[in-house]
Amino acid sequence: MVNSKGKGSQFERDICVKLSKWITKGEKIDCLWRSAMSGGRATVKKGLVRQAGDITAVAPEGHVLTNAFYLELKHLKSISLDSLLTGKGDLINIWNKTVIESTKYDRIPVLIFKRNHHPTCFCTTYKGVQKLQSHKVVCIKSLTTGMQIMKFDDLMKEAFSL
């Protein structure tokens, strides 16, 4: 039996390494790391800290990403894209919470999620796609949520630019 907390923590570490490599063109793996209390530090301090979301910059190179985006990460046994059609479910609830939290810090929302045995997804808004200057085809555009979803690995193949 897999420990879900351990699975989520490992997912966050893996994403931090991949994002660090992406923003430094493969030169560094440690610009970003899991936030203290997995983002809970900002909640406890009522937004009085710069650290917000599940990922924080631990080196100057990481600030370009964390100053612009509020990053929420989830690795779940099951999360359905059907939520985008029904307007209900875990994905919509997590996205709505991410959007609310991102506005508290004046950052663009990003939700990176993985469902067991499926590719990792990168979700942001149209503004986020524009900011990243992404040219990858967005898999899904949800008109009701403003969410745009693409494969995380496809985004990582693009040159980072902000």
Side-chain angles (χ1 to χ4, degrees):
M1 186 168 172
V2 177
N3 175 337
S4 62
K5 183 174 174 22
K7 178 176 70 172
S9 297
Q10 185 60 52
F11 176 67
E12 289 177 358
R13 288 188 291 271
D14 292 344
I15 294 297
C16 287
V17 169
K18 289 177 182 180
L19 289 172
S20 291
K21 285 181 178 179
W22 185 50
I23 63 177
T24 64
K25 298 174 179 46
E27 293 180 13
K28 300 194 177 173
I29 63 169
D30 60 353
C31 300
L32 304 163
W33 204 243
R34 299 174 62 222
S35 295
M37 299 167 47
S38 190
R41 181 168 184 242
T43 302
V44 170
K45 296 293 183 182
K46 307 272 191 264
L48 298 175
V49 295
R50 288 181 359 140
Q51 185 182 79
D54 288 334
I55 295 179
T56 192
V58 294
E61 301 91 336
H63 289 287
V64 68
L65 191 67
T66 60
N67 287 346
F69 295 95
Y70 176 92
L71 297 139
E72 182 71 25
L73 279 66
K74 296 289 182 196
H75 186 198
L76 302 168
K77 179 179 179 180
S78 172
I79 189 166
S80 174
L81 294 177
D82 292 349
S83 295
L84 298 174
L85 298 173
T86 64
K88 301 180 215 169
D90 290 338
L91 179 57
I92 295 295
N93 294 337
I94 294 166
W95 175 251
N96 288 339
K97 183 179 177 194
T98 302
V99 170
I100 289 167
E101 290 298 313
S102 72
T103 59
K104 292 178 185 177
Y105 301 96
D106 195 28
R107 296 182 187 158
I108 299 168
V110 168
L111 171 61
I112 300 171
F113 75 88
K114 178 164 179 54
R115 175 178 150 187
N116 287 354
H117 312 295
H118 285 81
T120 301
C121 293
F122 183 97
C123 311
T124 190
T125 59
Y126 179 72
K127 182 179 177 182
V129 172
Q130 286 184 308
K131 182 123 181 126
L132 291 170
Q133 300 174 29
S134 177
H135 302 290
K136 289 293 174 190
V137 174
V138 175
C139 302
I140 300 170
K141 296 177 186 179
S142 172
L143 298 176
T144 57
T145 65
M147 182 193 314
Q148 301 207 15
I149 305 174
M150 64 190 87
K151 283 183 171 178
F152 179 80
D153 289 342
D154 287 349
L155 181 62
M156 295 299 102
K157 291 175 186 170
E158 288 191 3
F160 177 76
S161 176
L162 276 191

